[in-house]
Amino acid sequence: MTEPVLDRLTALFEADRDPSRAAAMRAYMRDQFDFLGIMSPRQRELARRAVAGTARPTEAALLALADACWARPEREYQYFACDQLRRHARVLSPDALPVVRRLITTKPWWDTVDVLAARVVGPMVTRDRVLVAAMDDWIDDDALWVVRTALLHQLFYKRDTDADRLFRYCTRQAGHTDFFIRKAIGWALREYAKTDPDAVRSYVAATSLSGLSRREALKNL
């Protein structure tokens, strides 16, 4: 799967390259990544054409494709890989988690990490509960983006959220000084508040959180 799909995608992306838009996109992302200058709706259209007619990928093929996309300098390739991982997350076994962790910590920023956290790691943990122990390790990891992933992996669990674990994770990182961790704490709590607002109110009232985390958690309450 990897080479034919990536070859087709490359041809399609290159034909749509827009240097002026790429410069604006690079500036928006604080000059951390190069871009082709392809907007999201067009990226999705070209991605559909690149994978048209292909069978569902195996785990090995999917991870190889992701690695190949991560090796490309332009960010649109990483977006494509994230979307493919999200779409085919069901083929990922617990053995894939170290590879996903490597993607999270390579060229990391919120735009890829949040998709991998909530749409890839989250479903993996739901399907294979053995990975809960990995999340318990990740919440204390030295890598900021791994911690953020642990905080956000339950983001869309709704009534299936392990609230005790969510609150425990937020408490463990409540004193973290980084914006992206404080924001993730608030976001995770705000999302769970849609399911159990009283539990979130009680937790926030009883917990010493940063102002940012508190504001985010209570934004819709």
Side-chain angles (χ1 to χ4, degrees):
M1 172 187 178
T2 302
E3 290 185 9
V5 168
L6 196 53
D7 287 347
R8 270 184 278 173
L9 183 70
T10 301
L12 291 164
F13 273 1
E14 287 295 332
D16 261 41
R17 184 186 282 272
D18 185 330
S20 61
R21 186 175 286 136
M25 294 169 75
R26 180 184 173 95
Y28 176 73
M29 296 300 285
R30 301 184 183 181
D31 292 320
Q32 294 191 89
F33 311 107
D34 291 329
F35 284 84
L36 294 162
I38 306 171
M39 301 299 286
S40 295
R42 182 62 173 167
Q43 287 179 43
R44 291 191 290 270
E45 178 186 344
L46 297 177
R48 286 194 295 269
R49 291 166 58 183
V51 300
T54 60
R56 178 184 294 181
T58 64
E59 176 179 279
L62 186 61
L63 296 177
L65 179 63
D67 276 336
C69 287
W70 241 257
R72 297 292 181 93
E74 294 90 359
R75 198 61 165 167
E76 287 90 342
Y77 288 102
Q78 284 102 66
Y79 295 157
F80 172 78
C82 286
D83 186 60
Q84 291 303 301
L85 288 165
R86 177 183 67 81
R87 289 176 180 274
H88 301 292
R90 64 178 64 86
V91 310
L92 298 175
S93 72
D95 292 339
L97 192 65
V99 178
V100 177
R101 187 190 190 282
R102 174 159 47 77
L103 299 176
I104 289 167
T105 56
T106 304
K107 300 181 181 179
W109 200 241
W110 60 266
D111 55 340
T112 55
V113 170
D114 292 355
V115 176
L116 295 173
R119 298 300 191 183
V120 180
V121 174
M124 290 175 68
V125 175
T126 294
R127 194 170 53 255
D128 296 290
R129 300 304 292 172
V130 67
L131 295 181
V132 170
M135 295 300 100
D136 289 345
D137 291 337
W138 283 23
I139 192 61
D140 292 316
D141 201 275
D142 291 335
L144 178 152
W145 298 105
V146 174
V147 174
R148 183 173 169 99
T149 298
L151 287 164
L152 296 180
H153 83 276
Q154 295 193 88
L155 194 65
F156 301 120
Y157 280 19
K158 299 182 180 179
R159 295 194 179 278
D160 292 328
T161 300
D162 183 338
D164 289 341
R165 178 166 273 102
L166 169 63
F167 294 150
R168 185 164 70 251
Y169 284 8
C170 291
T171 299
R172 290 190 72 83
Q173 293 297 338
H176 205 294
T177 58
D178 188 89
F179 168 86
F180 287 106
I181 299 301
R182 292 182 169 188
K183 185 81 169 183
I185 290 170
W187 185 15
L189 293 171
R190 185 175 78 243
E191 195 65 28
Y192 184 57
K194 297 175 183 177
T195 297
D196 193 342
D198 290 338
V200 172
R201 283 194 191 95
S202 297
Y203 172 77
V204 171
T207 308
S208 179
L209 298 173
S210 70
L212 173 59
S213 297
R214 185 178 299 273
R215 287 191 301 274
E216 287 294 319
L218 300 177
K219 182 177 290 185
N220 297 327
L221 294 179

